[in-house]
Amino acid sequence: NAGVTQTPKFQVLKTGQSMTLQCAQDMNHNSMYWYRQDPGMGLRLIYYSASEGTTDKGEVPNGYNVSRLNKREFSLRLESAAPSQTSVYFCASRRGWDSQTYEQYFGPGTRLTVT
Amino acid sequence: KQEVTQIPAALSVPEGENLVLNCSFTDSAIYNLQWFRQDPGKGLTSLLLIQSSQREQTSGRLNASLDKSSGRSTLYIAASQPGDSATYLCAVCGGSNYKLTFGKGTLLTVNP
């Protein structure tokens, strides 16, 4: 049981390049989330998928797109990377979106630098 | 808009000391509150989840309390150890989409 996995672990991009961050969970969770973590800003929600087939914007969605490929996988795409997107990106999952008993589980993160 | 504040931002204690980390939130209409631990360069590990109807939760040397009406939670760590050194994050779950709002964390250092 690997939990939440993310690839790649590290990435360096030039301004304007595109890339997709991959996330998968093996806990049969319905809800998945993408966050970014910046010094002094805490974790901020980019996009989330309450259940397979749905996606919604979070607090900071500009410059990103997401795809809920299936129940296990949720990818985050940067179409034209900008230095402001330099950050650590975390994927998380939760059993369901609408219960007060469900914990959120996090992946190990992807450290992205845009030059 | 929900805001979560954690005080202090950093804390350094000698090994063996009992300590308390604080978390406050502005909107008391929450479903639950979760405490996480984050080691340097790593992801977040869930420590405890307190439902809105609960007052406290315990796991080993950790005890978390919740006072929803006053918008406060505390994480009590008993007999601290160097291995407890990490950043501790508090997050509240609320709103129509049950989203988490995070505090900026408390960086704990336990000195041998």
PDB file of all heavy atoms in Angstrom, chain A residues 64-99:
ATOM      1  N   TYR A  64      -2.922  26.953 -14.233  1.00  0.00           N
ATOM      2  CA  TYR A  64      -2.937  25.494 -14.066  1.00  0.00           C
ATOM      3  C   TYR A  64      -4.194  24.892 -14.690  1.00  0.00           C
ATOM      4  O   TYR A  64      -5.233  25.525 -14.774  1.00  0.00           O
ATOM      5  CB  TYR A  64      -2.912  25.107 -12.592  1.00  0.00           C
ATOM      6  CG  TYR A  64      -1.785  25.688 -11.785  1.00  0.00           C
ATOM      7  CD1 TYR A  64      -1.975  26.867 -11.052  1.00  0.00           C
ATOM      8  CD2 TYR A  64      -0.547  25.071 -11.731  1.00  0.00           C
ATOM      9  CE1 TYR A  64      -0.945  27.408 -10.296  1.00  0.00           C
ATOM     10  CE2 TYR A  64       0.486  25.603 -10.973  1.00  0.00           C
ATOM     11  CZ  TYR A  64       0.277  26.774 -10.263  1.00  0.00           C
ATOM     12  OH  TYR A  64       1.301  27.301  -9.505  1.00  0.00           O
ATOM     13  N   ASN A  65      -4.053  23.632 -15.092  1.00  0.00           N
ATOM     14  CA  ASN A  65      -5.203  22.821 -15.477  1.00  0.00           C
ATOM     15  C   ASN A  65      -5.058  21.454 -14.839  1.00  0.00           C
ATOM     16  O   ASN A  65      -3.939  21.032 -14.513  1.00  0.00           O
ATOM     17  CB  ASN A  65      -5.276  22.660 -17.007  1.00  0.00           C
ATOM     18  CG  ASN A  65      -5.760  23.926 -17.673  1.00  0.00           C
ATOM     19  OD1 ASN A  65      -6.852  24.405 -17.395  1.00  0.00           O
ATOM     20  ND2 ASN A  65      -4.938  24.481 -18.548  1.00  0.00           N
ATOM     21  N   VAL A  66      -6.182  20.764 -14.667  1.00  0.00           N
ATOM     22  CA  VAL A  66      -6.133  19.437 -14.053  1.00  0.00           C
ATOM     23  C   VAL A  66      -6.952  18.453 -14.871  1.00  0.00           C
ATOM     24  O   VAL A  66      -7.825  18.846 -15.647  1.00  0.00           O
ATOM     25  CB  VAL A  66      -6.671  19.449 -12.604  1.00  0.00           C
ATOM     26  CG1 VAL A  66      -5.721  20.202 -11.672  1.00  0.00           C
ATOM     27  CG2 VAL A  66      -8.084  20.017 -12.529  1.00  0.00           C
ATOM     28  N   SER A  67      -6.614  17.185 -14.650  1.00  0.00           N
ATOM     29  CA  SER A  67      -7.381  16.100 -15.262  1.00  0.00           C
ATOM     30  C   SER A  67      -7.538  14.991 -14.238  1.00  0.00           C
ATOM     31  O   SER A  67      -6.535  14.531 -13.676  1.00  0.00           O
ATOM     32  CB  SER A  67      -6.670  15.539 -16.506  1.00  0.00           C
ATOM     33  OG  SER A  67      -6.595  16.493 -17.521  1.00  0.00           O
ATOM     34  N   ARG A  68      -8.795  14.607 -14.005  1.00  0.00           N
ATOM     35  CA  ARG A  68      -9.024  13.408 -13.167  1.00  0.00           C
ATOM     36  C   ARG A  68      -9.148  12.257 -14.143  1.00  0.00           C
ATOM     37  O   ARG A  68     -10.202  12.000 -14.717  1.00  0.00           O
ATOM     38  CB  ARG A  68     -10.298  13.579 -12.332  1.00  0.00           C
ATOM     39  CG  ARG A  68     -10.564  12.409 -11.398  1.00  0.00           C
ATOM     40  CD  ARG A  68      -9.648  12.427 -10.214  1.00  0.00           C
ATOM     41  NE  ARG A  68      -9.825  11.282  -9.343  1.00  0.00           N
ATOM     42  CZ  ARG A  68     -10.607  11.277  -8.268  1.00  0.00           C
ATOM     43  NH1 ARG A  68     -11.300  12.352  -7.927  1.00  0.00           N
ATOM     44  NH2 ARG A  68     -10.684  10.198  -7.522  1.00  0.00           N
ATOM     45  N   LEU A  69      -8.052  11.556 -14.339  1.00  0.00           N
ATOM     46  CA  LEU A  69      -7.950  10.537 -15.381  1.00  0.00           C
ATOM     47  C   LEU A  69      -8.836   9.325 -15.071  1.00  0.00           C
ATOM     48  O   LEU A  69      -9.421   8.721 -15.976  1.00  0.00           O
ATOM     49  CB  LEU A  69      -6.496  10.111 -15.524  1.00  0.00           C
ATOM     50  CG  LEU A  69      -5.512  11.275 -15.814  1.00  0.00           C
ATOM     51  CD1 LEU A  69      -4.077  10.811 -15.697  1.00  0.00           C
ATOM     52  CD2 LEU A  69      -5.796  11.874 -17.187  1.00  0.00           C
ATOM     53  N   ASN A  70      -8.893   8.966 -13.826  1.00  0.00           N
ATOM     54  CA  ASN A  70      -9.723   7.863 -13.344  1.00  0.00           C
ATOM     55  C   ASN A  70      -9.781   8.022 -11.830  1.00  0.00           C
ATOM     56  O   ASN A  70      -9.315   9.045 -11.294  1.00  0.00           O
ATOM     57  CB  ASN A  70      -9.136   6.505 -13.759  1.00  0.00           C
ATOM     58  CG  ASN A  70      -7.652   6.404 -13.463  1.00  0.00           C
ATOM     59  OD1 ASN A  70      -7.241   6.631 -12.330  1.00  0.00           O
ATOM     60  ND2 ASN A  70      -6.852   6.112 -14.482  1.00  0.00           N
ATOM     61  N   LYS A  71     -10.318   7.051 -11.129  1.00  0.00           N
ATOM     62  CA  LYS A  71     -10.456   7.214  -9.687  1.00  0.00           C
ATOM     63  C   LYS A  71      -9.092   7.331  -9.005  1.00  0.00           C
ATOM     64  O   LYS A  71      -8.944   8.015  -8.003  1.00  0.00           O
ATOM     65  CB  LYS A  71     -11.238   6.038  -9.100  1.00  0.00           C
ATOM     66  CG  LYS A  71     -11.654   6.252  -7.656  1.00  0.00           C
ATOM     67  CD  LYS A  71     -12.590   5.165  -7.182  1.00  0.00           C
ATOM     68  CE  LYS A  71     -13.079   5.488  -5.778  1.00  0.00           C
ATOM     69  NZ  LYS A  71     -14.014   4.455  -5.282  1.00  0.00           N
ATOM     70  N   ARG A  72      -8.072   6.691  -9.542  1.00  0.00           N
ATOM     71  CA  ARG A  72      -6.753   6.654  -8.903  1.00  0.00           C
ATOM     72  C   ARG A  72      -5.896   7.878  -9.202  1.00  0.00           C
ATOM     73  O   ARG A  72      -5.064   8.255  -8.394  1.00  0.00           O
ATOM     74  CB  ARG A  72      -5.986   5.415  -9.387  1.00  0.00           C
ATOM     75  CG  ARG A  72      -6.446   4.092  -8.880  1.00  0.00           C
ATOM     76  CD  ARG A  72      -5.484   2.993  -9.306  1.00  0.00           C
ATOM     77  NE  ARG A  72      -4.164   3.168  -8.722  1.00  0.00           N
ATOM     78  CZ  ARG A  72      -3.064   3.474  -9.413  1.00  0.00           C
ATOM     79  NH1 ARG A  72      -3.106   3.669 -10.709  1.00  0.00           N
ATOM     80  NH2 ARG A  72      -1.895   3.586  -8.802  1.00  0.00           N
ATOM     81  N   GLU A  73      -6.051   8.462 -10.387  1.00  0.00           N
ATOM     82  CA  GLU A  73      -5.065   9.419 -10.866  1.00  0.00           C
ATOM     83  C   GLU A  73      -5.624  10.823 -11.073  1.00  0.00           C
ATOM     84  O   GLU A  73      -6.728  10.998 -11.626  1.00  0.00           O
ATOM     85  CB  GLU A  73      -4.466   8.912 -12.177  1.00  0.00           C
ATOM     86  CG  GLU A  73      -3.744   7.581 -12.038  1.00  0.00           C
ATOM     87  CD  GLU A  73      -3.345   7.022 -13.395  1.00  0.00           C
ATOM     88  OE1 GLU A  73      -4.230   6.569 -14.147  1.00  0.00           O
ATOM     89  OE2 GLU A  73      -2.144   7.061 -13.697  1.00  0.00           O
ATOM     90  N   PHE A  74      -4.818  11.826 -10.679  1.00  0.00           N
ATOM     91  CA  PHE A  74      -5.219  13.223 -10.792  1.00  0.00           C
ATOM     92  C   PHE A  74      -3.976  14.007 -11.181  1.00  0.00           C
ATOM     93  O   PHE A  74      -3.019  14.063 -10.401  1.00  0.00           O
ATOM     94  CB  PHE A  74      -5.776  13.677  -9.444  1.00  0.00           C
ATOM     95  CG  PHE A  74      -6.415  15.038  -9.434  1.00  0.00           C
ATOM     96  CD1 PHE A  74      -7.176  15.500 -10.493  1.00  0.00           C
ATOM     97  CD2 PHE A  74      -6.288  15.857  -8.310  1.00  0.00           C
ATOM     98  CE1 PHE A  74      -7.796  16.730 -10.445  1.00  0.00           C
ATOM     99  CE2 PHE A  74      -6.902  17.093  -8.256  1.00  0.00           C
ATOM    100  CZ  PHE A  74      -7.662  17.534  -9.326  1.00  0.00           C
ATOM    101  N   SER A  75      -3.946  14.577 -12.386  1.00  0.00           N
ATOM    102  CA  SER A  75      -2.745  15.250 -12.856  1.00  0.00           C
ATOM    103  C   SER A  75      -2.930  16.759 -12.870  1.00  0.00           C
ATOM    104  O   SER A  75      -4.046  17.276 -13.008  1.00  0.00           O
ATOM    105  CB  SER A  75      -2.373  14.745 -14.255  1.00  0.00           C
ATOM    106  OG  SER A  75      -3.388  15.073 -15.175  1.00  0.00           O
ATOM    107  N   LEU A  76      -1.811  17.453 -12.727  1.00  0.00           N
ATOM    108  CA  LEU A  76      -1.790  18.923 -12.741  1.00  0.00           C
ATOM    109  C   LEU A  76      -0.881  19.371 -13.873  1.00  0.00           C
ATOM    110  O   LEU A  76       0.273  18.942 -13.957  1.00  0.00           O
ATOM    111  CB  LEU A  76      -1.246  19.438 -11.405  1.00  0.00           C
ATOM    112  CG  LEU A  76      -1.115  20.961 -11.261  1.00  0.00           C
ATOM    113  CD1 LEU A  76      -2.493  21.611 -11.130  1.00  0.00           C
ATOM    114  CD2 LEU A  76      -0.261  21.313 -10.040  1.00  0.00           C
ATOM    115  N   ARG A  77      -1.384  20.230 -14.749  1.00  0.00           N
ATOM    116  CA  ARG A  77      -0.601  20.666 -15.906  1.00  0.00           C
ATOM    117  C   ARG A  77      -0.325  22.160 -15.833  1.00  0.00           C
ATOM    118  O   ARG A  77      -1.237  22.963 -15.547  1.00  0.00           O
ATOM    119  CB  ARG A  77      -1.324  20.320 -17.206  1.00  0.00           C
ATOM    120  CG  ARG A  77      -0.525  20.707 -18.441  1.00  0.00           C
ATOM    121  CD  ARG A  77      -0.984  19.977 -19.676  1.00  0.00           C
ATOM    122  NE  ARG A  77      -0.216  20.415 -20.844  1.00  0.00           N
ATOM    123  CZ  ARG A  77       0.962  19.923 -21.193  1.00  0.00           C
ATOM    124  NH1 ARG A  77       1.543  18.985 -20.448  1.00  0.00           N
ATOM    125  NH2 ARG A  77       1.569  20.355 -22.287  1.00  0.00           N
ATOM    126  N   LEU A  78       0.935  22.499 -16.110  1.00  0.00           N
ATOM    127  CA  LEU A  78       1.343  23.882 -16.290  1.00  0.00           C
ATOM    128  C   LEU A  78       1.548  24.077 -17.790  1.00  0.00           C
ATOM    129  O   LEU A  78       2.441  23.469 -18.374  1.00  0.00           O
ATOM    130  CB  LEU A  78       2.651  24.183 -15.546  1.00  0.00           C
ATOM    131  CG  LEU A  78       2.603  24.291 -14.018  1.00  0.00           C
ATOM    132  CD1 LEU A  78       2.330  22.948 -13.355  1.00  0.00           C
ATOM    133  CD2 LEU A  78       3.910  24.880 -13.505  1.00  0.00           C
ATOM    134  N   GLU A  79       0.733  24.886 -18.408  1.00  0.00           N
ATOM    135  CA  GLU A  79       0.792  25.036 -19.868  1.00  0.00           C
ATOM    136  C   GLU A  79       1.966  25.905 -20.297  1.00  0.00           C
ATOM    137  O   GLU A  79       2.625  25.641 -21.294  1.00  0.00           O
ATOM    138  CB  GLU A  79      -0.509  25.647 -20.385  1.00  0.00           C
ATOM    139  CG  GLU A  79      -1.710  24.728 -20.287  1.00  0.00           C
ATOM    140  CD  GLU A  79      -1.633  23.552 -21.259  1.00  0.00           C
ATOM    141  OE1 GLU A  79      -0.720  23.510 -22.111  1.00  0.00           O
ATOM    142  OE2 GLU A  79      -2.502  22.652 -21.161  1.00  0.00           O
ATOM    143  N   SER A  80       2.239  26.967 -19.555  1.00  0.00           N
ATOM    144  CA  SER A  80       3.331  27.888 -19.878  1.00  0.00           C
ATOM    145  C   SER A  80       3.914  28.369 -18.552  1.00  0.00           C
ATOM    146  O   SER A  80       3.425  29.332 -17.963  1.00  0.00           O
ATOM    147  CB  SER A  80       2.807  29.066 -20.703  1.00  0.00           C
ATOM    148  OG  SER A  80       3.858  29.968 -20.997  1.00  0.00           O
ATOM    149  N   ALA A  81       4.947  27.659 -18.101  1.00  0.00           N
ATOM    150  CA  ALA A  81       5.453  27.897 -16.753  1.00  0.00           C
ATOM    151  C   ALA A  81       6.015  29.315 -16.585  1.00  0.00           C
ATOM    152  O   ALA A  81       6.639  29.878 -17.507  1.00  0.00           O
ATOM    153  CB  ALA A  81       6.527  26.872 -16.417  1.00  0.00           C
ATOM    154  N   ALA A  82       5.805  29.865 -15.393  1.00  0.00           N
ATOM    155  CA  ALA A  82       6.302  31.190 -15.036  1.00  0.00           C
ATOM    156  C   ALA A  82       7.100  31.086 -13.733  1.00  0.00           C
ATOM    157  O   ALA A  82       6.832  30.182 -12.927  1.00  0.00           O
ATOM    158  CB  ALA A  82       5.141  32.157 -14.847  1.00  0.00           C
ATOM    159  N   PRO A  83       8.072  31.976 -13.523  1.00  0.00           N
ATOM    160  CA  PRO A  83       8.857  31.920 -12.281  1.00  0.00           C
ATOM    161  C   PRO A  83       7.985  31.935 -11.020  1.00  0.00           C
ATOM    162  O   PRO A  83       8.367  31.353 -10.001  1.00  0.00           O
ATOM    163  CB  PRO A  83       9.745  33.158 -12.379  1.00  0.00           C
ATOM    164  CG  PRO A  83       9.928  33.355 -13.845  1.00  0.00           C
ATOM    165  CD  PRO A  83       8.608  32.983 -14.467  1.00  0.00           C
ATOM    166  N   SER A  84       6.815  32.574 -11.089  1.00  0.00           N
ATOM    167  CA  SER A  84       5.921  32.626  -9.928  1.00  0.00           C
ATOM    168  C   SER A  84       5.355  31.251  -9.563  1.00  0.00           C
ATOM    169  O   SER A  84       4.764  31.080  -8.495  1.00  0.00           O
ATOM    170  CB  SER A  84       4.763  33.594 -10.185  1.00  0.00           C
ATOM    171  OG  SER A  84       4.007  33.156 -11.294  1.00  0.00           O
ATOM    172  N   GLN A  85       5.526  30.288 -10.452  1.00  0.00           N
ATOM    173  CA  GLN A  85       5.040  28.938 -10.178  1.00  0.00           C
ATOM    174  C   GLN A  85       6.119  28.057  -9.546  1.00  0.00           C
ATOM    175  O   GLN A  85       5.884  26.860  -9.308  1.00  0.00           O
ATOM    176  CB  GLN A  85       4.504  28.291 -11.464  1.00  0.00           C
ATOM    177  CG  GLN A  85       3.253  29.003 -11.979  1.00  0.00           C
ATOM    178  CD  GLN A  85       2.719  28.422 -13.262  1.00  0.00           C
ATOM    179  OE1 GLN A  85       3.436  28.333 -14.275  1.00  0.00           O
ATOM    180  NE2 GLN A  85       1.450  28.039 -13.255  1.00  0.00           N
ATOM    181  N   THR A  86       7.264  28.625  -9.271  1.00  0.00           N
ATOM    182  CA  THR A  86       8.280  27.922  -8.491  1.00  0.00           C
ATOM    183  C   THR A  86       7.711  27.656  -7.111  1.00  0.00           C
ATOM    184  O   THR A  86       7.309  28.587  -6.402  1.00  0.00           O
ATOM    185  CB  THR A  86       9.564  28.767  -8.384  1.00  0.00           C
ATOM    186  OG1 THR A  86      10.145  28.890  -9.674  1.00  0.00           O
ATOM    187  CG2 THR A  86      10.556  28.139  -7.417  1.00  0.00           C
ATOM    188  N   SER A  87       7.660  26.387  -6.746  1.00  0.00           N
ATOM    189  CA  SER A  87       6.982  26.027  -5.504  1.00  0.00           C
ATOM    190  C   SER A  87       7.169  24.534  -5.255  1.00  0.00           C
ATOM    191  O   SER A  87       7.775  23.821  -6.050  1.00  0.00           O
ATOM    192  CB  SER A  87       5.491  26.350  -5.616  1.00  0.00           C
ATOM    193  OG  SER A  87       4.828  26.170  -4.373  1.00  0.00           O
ATOM    194  N   VAL A  88       6.641  24.091  -4.131  1.00  0.00           N
ATOM    195  CA  VAL A  88       6.526  22.658  -3.865  1.00  0.00           C
ATOM    196  C   VAL A  88       5.053  22.296  -4.020  1.00  0.00           C
ATOM    197  O   VAL A  88       4.187  22.933  -3.407  1.00  0.00           O
ATOM    198  CB  VAL A  88       7.014  22.288  -2.455  1.00  0.00           C
ATOM    199  CG1 VAL A  88       6.910  20.780  -2.241  1.00  0.00           C
ATOM    200  CG2 VAL A  88       8.449  22.760  -2.243  1.00  0.00           C
ATOM    201  N   TYR A  89       4.796  21.298  -4.834  1.00  0.00           N
ATOM    202  CA  TYR A  89       3.421  20.902  -5.141  1.00  0.00           C
ATOM    203  C   TYR A  89       3.092  19.584  -4.453  1.00  0.00           C
ATOM    204  O   TYR A  89       3.833  18.609  -4.558  1.00  0.00           O
ATOM    205  CB  TYR A  89       3.240  20.760  -6.652  1.00  0.00           C
ATOM    206  CG  TYR A  89       3.304  22.088  -7.353  1.00  0.00           C
ATOM    207  CD1 TYR A  89       4.534  22.633  -7.733  1.00  0.00           C
ATOM    208  CD2 TYR A  89       2.148  22.820  -7.605  1.00  0.00           C
ATOM    209  CE1 TYR A  89       4.604  23.872  -8.355  1.00  0.00           C
ATOM    210  CE2 TYR A  89       2.206  24.054  -8.236  1.00  0.00           C
ATOM    211  CZ  TYR A  89       3.438  24.570  -8.591  1.00  0.00           C
ATOM    212  OH  TYR A  89       3.493  25.794  -9.199  1.00  0.00           O
ATOM    213  N   PHE A  90       1.980  19.586  -3.746  1.00  0.00           N
ATOM    214  CA  PHE A  90       1.536  18.388  -3.044  1.00  0.00           C
ATOM    215  C   PHE A  90       0.184  17.940  -3.580  1.00  0.00           C
ATOM    216  O   PHE A  90      -0.723  18.740  -3.780  1.00  0.00           O
ATOM    217  CB  PHE A  90       1.393  18.647  -1.541  1.00  0.00           C
ATOM    218  CG  PHE A  90       2.698  18.820  -0.832  1.00  0.00           C
ATOM    219  CD1 PHE A  90       3.157  20.078  -0.493  1.00  0.00           C
ATOM    220  CD2 PHE A  90       3.461  17.714  -0.500  1.00  0.00           C
ATOM    221  CE1 PHE A  90       4.365  20.241   0.159  1.00  0.00           C
ATOM    222  CE2 PHE A  90       4.668  17.868   0.150  1.00  0.00           C
ATOM    223  CZ  PHE A  90       5.128  19.136   0.483  1.00  0.00           C
ATOM    224  N   CYS A  91       0.086  16.646  -3.754  1.00  0.00           N
ATOM    225  CA  CYS A  91      -1.181  16.008  -4.071  1.00  0.00           C
ATOM    226  C   CYS A  91      -1.708  15.356  -2.793  1.00  0.00           C
ATOM    227  O   CYS A  91      -0.920  14.883  -1.957  1.00  0.00           O
ATOM    228  CB  CYS A  91      -0.964  14.957  -5.154  1.00  0.00           C
ATOM    229  SG  CYS A  91      -2.437  14.030  -5.621  1.00  0.00           S
ATOM    230  N   ALA A  92      -3.011  15.336  -2.635  1.00  0.00           N
ATOM    231  CA  ALA A  92      -3.610  14.710  -1.455  1.00  0.00           C
ATOM    232  C   ALA A  92      -4.884  13.991  -1.865  1.00  0.00           C
ATOM    233  O   ALA A  92      -5.458  14.269  -2.919  1.00  0.00           O
ATOM    234  CB  ALA A  92      -3.912  15.763  -0.383  1.00  0.00           C
ATOM    235  N   SER A  93      -5.304  13.074  -1.029  1.00  0.00           N
ATOM    236  CA  SER A  93      -6.562  12.381  -1.296  1.00  0.00           C
ATOM    237  C   SER A  93      -7.327  12.196   0.003  1.00  0.00           C
ATOM    238  O   SER A  93      -6.770  12.240   1.097  1.00  0.00           O
ATOM    239  CB  SER A  93      -6.315  11.031  -1.972  1.00  0.00           C
ATOM    240  OG  SER A  93      -5.759  10.089  -1.066  1.00  0.00           O
ATOM    241  N   ARG A  94      -8.624  11.983  -0.153  1.00  0.00           N
ATOM    242  CA  ARG A  94      -9.488  11.761   1.005  1.00  0.00           C
ATOM    243  C   ARG A  94     -10.566  10.778   0.582  1.00  0.00           C
ATOM    244  O   ARG A  94     -11.009  10.794  -0.576  1.00  0.00           O
ATOM    245  CB  ARG A  94     -10.094  13.084   1.482  1.00  0.00           C
ATOM    246  CG  ARG A  94     -10.804  13.017   2.812  1.00  0.00           C
ATOM    247  CD  ARG A  94     -11.004  14.394   3.417  1.00  0.00           C
ATOM    248  NE  ARG A  94     -11.985  15.188   2.703  1.00  0.00           N
ATOM    249  CZ  ARG A  94     -12.205  16.485   2.938  1.00  0.00           C
ATOM    250  NH1 ARG A  94     -11.500  17.120   3.856  1.00  0.00           N
ATOM    251  NH2 ARG A  94     -13.112  17.141   2.270  1.00  0.00           N
ATOM    252  N   ARG A  95     -11.033   9.974   1.512  1.00  0.00           N
ATOM    253  CA  ARG A  95     -11.990   8.921   1.178  1.00  0.00           C
ATOM    254  C   ARG A  95     -13.242   9.494   0.523  1.00  0.00           C
ATOM    255  O   ARG A  95     -13.769   8.949  -0.435  1.00  0.00           O
ATOM    256  CB  ARG A  95     -12.347   8.158   2.449  1.00  0.00           C
ATOM    257  CG  ARG A  95     -13.276   6.986   2.220  1.00  0.00           C
ATOM    258  CD  ARG A  95     -13.478   6.237   3.515  1.00  0.00           C
ATOM    259  NE  ARG A  95     -14.485   5.203   3.351  1.00  0.00           N
ATOM    260  CZ  ARG A  95     -14.940   4.470   4.338  1.00  0.00           C
ATOM    261  NH1 ARG A  95     -14.491   4.654   5.560  1.00  0.00           N
ATOM    262  NH2 ARG A  95     -15.845   3.555   4.119  1.00  0.00           N
ATOM    263  N   GLY A  96     -13.731  10.580   1.058  1.00  0.00           N
ATOM    264  CA  GLY A  96     -14.912  11.232   0.494  1.00  0.00           C
ATOM    265  C   GLY A  96     -14.808  12.709   0.758  1.00  0.00           C
ATOM    266  O   GLY A  96     -14.007  13.149   1.597  1.00  0.00           O
ATOM    267  N   TRP A  97     -15.587  13.496   0.084  1.00  0.00           N
ATOM    268  CA  TRP A  97     -15.453  14.946   0.233  1.00  0.00           C
ATOM    269  C   TRP A  97     -16.408  15.515   1.257  1.00  0.00           C
ATOM    270  O   TRP A  97     -16.182  16.603   1.774  1.00  0.00           O
ATOM    271  CB  TRP A  97     -15.699  15.643  -1.114  1.00  0.00           C
ATOM    272  CG  TRP A  97     -17.136  15.577  -1.579  1.00  0.00           C
ATOM    273  CD1 TRP A  97     -17.730  14.558  -2.266  1.00  0.00           C
ATOM    274  CD2 TRP A  97     -18.145  16.561  -1.372  1.00  0.00           C
ATOM    275  NE1 TRP A  97     -19.041  14.862  -2.513  1.00  0.00           N
ATOM    276  CE2 TRP A  97     -19.329  16.068  -1.981  1.00  0.00           C
ATOM    277  CE3 TRP A  97     -18.166  17.804  -0.751  1.00  0.00           C
ATOM    278  CZ2 TRP A  97     -20.532  16.785  -1.966  1.00  0.00           C
ATOM    279  CZ3 TRP A  97     -19.358  18.523  -0.736  1.00  0.00           C
ATOM    280  CH2 TRP A  97     -20.525  17.998  -1.334  1.00  0.00           C
ATOM    281  N   ASP A  98     -17.423  14.784   1.641  1.00  0.00           N
ATOM    282  CA  ASP A  98     -18.485  15.405   2.424  1.00  0.00           C
ATOM    283  C   ASP A  98     -18.713  14.753   3.772  1.00  0.00           C
ATOM    284  O   ASP A  98     -19.841  14.579   4.202  1.00  0.00           O
ATOM    285  CB  ASP A  98     -19.786  15.399   1.624  1.00  0.00           C
ATOM    286  CG  ASP A  98     -20.234  13.976   1.290  1.00  0.00           C
ATOM    287  OD1 ASP A  98     -19.422  13.048   1.464  1.00  0.00           O
ATOM    288  OD2 ASP A  98     -21.387  13.809   0.875  1.00  0.00           O
ATOM    289  N   SER A  99     -17.642  14.373   4.418  1.00  0.00           N
ATOM    290  CA  SER A  99     -17.792  13.816   5.756  1.00  0.00           C
ATOM    291  C   SER A  99     -16.793  14.463   6.692  1.00  0.00           C
ATOM    292  O   SER A  99     -15.674  14.765   6.301  1.00  0.00           O
ATOM    293  CB  SER A  99     -17.563  12.307   5.748  1.00  0.00           C
ATOM    294  OG  SER A  99     -17.434  11.828   7.070  1.00  0.00           O
TER     295      SER A  99
END
